[in-house]
Amino acid sequence: MTTTEAPCEAVRLPFLNGVYIAVDALRDAYLIVDGPYCVFTKAEMQYCHNLRSRLLPPIGHRRVVHTGQVQDREEVKSLSTDRTSQVDEIFKGVCAQPDAGIVLSTTFDFHELVGFPMKEITRRHARPGGPLVCHIPSRSLGGTWLEGYSRTCEALAQSVTLRPGRRKKNTAAVVGYLFDRDEPDHAGNLRELKRLLAGLGLRVGSIWLSGGGRAELEAAETADLVISFPYAREAARTVAKRTGARLCEVDLPLGLSATERFLLKVGACAGRRKQAASLAAEESRGAVRDTQAHALRIIAGRGAEILQEDPQLTARLSELCAELGLLTGLRSSGDDQRRVCFAPTADSFSSEVVHVPMGYPNYIEHPVCERPFLGYTGFRHLVDRVAGAILRAEASSNTRS
């Protein structure tokens, strides 16, 4: 089975986008960015992707703070000036905000190359009783948005207060969840993850990241099991090492097979193998029963394309296609059935493609009600979305003809 993917160079989004996603996923966070004035365009991308974005609020203080005051700040000559006192004052102002629980900083690579001491300035403002202050090492010129998200989580894992001896039995922390927007698709995912883990007798004490604030991060100290999701592996290892918790690395539980593997692996790490196997079998039977008619009568036998920059999402969607009977890869030109395309946006798709929006950035779909895509509940929703998109496309075609 082959998967058709867009060339990485054609769709790759930069490092800072991932940093902004992470900051937007922290309720009480601010980000100070030392770089060109164009840093705000990336914040605008997140603002369009997340209807509840905190980065550029219509009322109140912006969560992304630029160190320059005017647009000519990005001229080369400005890099040679001594801006230390100016940036220091910006830090003082942000750290003094009453709702600032976390203050992060980062910079563009070329600002680091000229030796601007952003990391040292950041460190000076980390004080007892104040907000959590930490620097995110830059990879702005070469890193992807996924690396930006991962590095932000790792910086937090190294700096957040995690007190030893606070672990509680049967308590888990999920570290490395990609909370790219505060909308009902992710609210549904979080509810489903907690439901499945509760089925194994585990209480979720903390999720990195999930729209909470500093307290949510610090609550990871109570976990005796750290469940590592793919988007921040190093952060999960750091948290587990600092607290002494057991570490369980899992893939994204999207689709029947992946969700079953997720439960079995967590169950094994938690000493609940039989319970996990029983839960997976029961949940799988119910999900298949509820979706079988849709898969057989509407979805199976069609072609599918997966256009994702996220390799984890690509792999899991490939499995999902196999489970639904979708044939991944380009189909023959003589086949008149529309292909199902899993991609963030539909800008370049023809009318012969059924688009199912998945991934980041998604500007065209913002659910009102919970609509997860993870776990068994998420599987049902994905089948519903794919089948619905196919039926609407065919109805539209019949109306035009």
Side-chain angles (χ1 to χ4, degrees), residues 31-359:
L31 174 68
I32 300 173
V33 185
D34 190 46
Y37 197 77
C38 66
V39 297
F40 288 116
T41 62
K42 296 176 178 61
E44 289 167 353
M45 288 181 65
Q46 178 64 13
Y47 184 78
C48 294
H49 172 69
N50 180 14
L51 291 184
R52 301 175 183 177
S53 177
R54 304 174 182 87
L55 297 184
L56 303 172
I59 300 176
H61 296 280
R62 292 180 301 195
R63 299 294 175 147
V64 175
V65 181
H66 182 228
T67 57
Q69 301 299 318
V70 292
Q71 292 194 25
D72 65 3
R73 164 72 186 82
E74 58 186 300
E75 296 179 2
V76 174
K77 65 180 181 180
S78 68
L79 297 177
S80 61
T81 61
D82 184 3
R83 300 178 293 112
T84 302
S85 59
Q86 172 191 329
V87 175
D88 196 66
E89 288 300 315
I90 292 172
F91 267 91
K92 289 180 182 178
V94 173
C95 290
Q97 292 295 332
D99 62 344
I102 303 170
V103 176
L104 299 161
S105 72
T106 193
T107 181
F108 274 55
D109 287 354
F110 51 80
H111 290 258
E112 290 188 347
L113 290 174
V114 298
F116 185 72
M118 191 68 168
K119 184 176 181 180
E120 287 70 25
I121 295 174
T122 304
R123 188 181 294 119
R124 287 203 298 266
H125 289 272
R127 298 185 177 93
L132 172 67
V133 181
C134 57
H135 181 70
I136 306 163
S138 175
R139 283 273 292 142
S140 65
L141 296 181
T144 67
W145 66 280
L146 289 168
E147 188 174 357
Y149 189 86
S150 175
R151 285 203 175 200
T152 303
C153 291
E154 170 62 5
L156 292 166
Q158 292 175 352
S159 304
V160 71
T161 300
L162 296 173
R163 298 167 295 179
R166 301 278 176 161
R167 299 197 311 275
K168 297 178 180 178
K169 189 177 180 180
N170 301 328
T171 301
V174 175
V175 179
Y177 178 80
L178 181 62
F179 191 82
D180 55 66
R181 62 182 186 179
D182 189 8
E183 295 197 21
D185 44 3
H186 285 281
N189 280 346
L190 298 180
R191 186 187 299 275
E192 175 70 353
L193 289 174
K194 291 177 180 178
R195 184 185 75 86
L196 292 176
L197 293 172
L200 297 178
L202 297 173
R203 185 185 73 85
V204 178
S206 174
I207 298 181
W208 294 36
L209 303 170
S210 61
R214 181 177 178 179
E216 175 85 10
L217 303 182
E218 293 174 341
E221 69 184 13
T222 66
D224 65 352
L225 178 66
V226 172
I227 301 173
S228 169
F229 269 49
Y231 300 98
R233 296 291 196 204
E234 287 301 322
R237 294 184 189 117
T238 299
V239 171
K241 183 177 180 180
R242 290 186 60 192
T243 64
R246 292 166 292 160
L247 180 67
C248 179
E249 294 188 349
V250 298
D251 288 332
L252 200 65
L254 189 156
L256 292 177
S257 300
T259 302
E260 181 180 14
R261 292 197 304 269
F262 168 79
L263 285 175
L264 293 178
K265 189 162 187 180
V266 174
C269 291
R272 295 172 171 82
R273 293 177 185 270
K274 291 183 179 180
Q275 190 173 345
S278 176
L279 178 62
E282 180 183 357
E283 290 279 346
S284 294
R285 282 194 299 269
V288 170
R289 180 192 62 235
D290 293 344
T291 59
Q292 188 173 40
H294 291 74
L296 292 177
R297 295 189 57 180
I298 303 172
I299 300 173
R302 296 178 182 270
E305 296 179 78
I306 302 171
L307 305 180
Q308 294 289 338
E309 189 181 353
D310 177 350
Q312 178 70 203
L313 195 56
T314 296
R316 302 290 77 77
L317 286 173
S318 296
E319 291 182 345
L320 177 72
C321 288
E323 292 166 352
L324 298 180
L326 286 164
L327 309 174
T328 53
L330 293 174
R331 308 189 78 197
S332 65
S333 58
D335 196 321
D336 60 359
Q337 281 192 317
R338 287 177 175 81
R339 295 189 304 275
V340 178
C341 188
F342 297 91
T345 63
D347 295 343
S348 61
F349 299 152
S350 71
S351 60
E352 299 305 311
V353 174
V354 175
H355 178 224
V356 180
M358 292 288 296

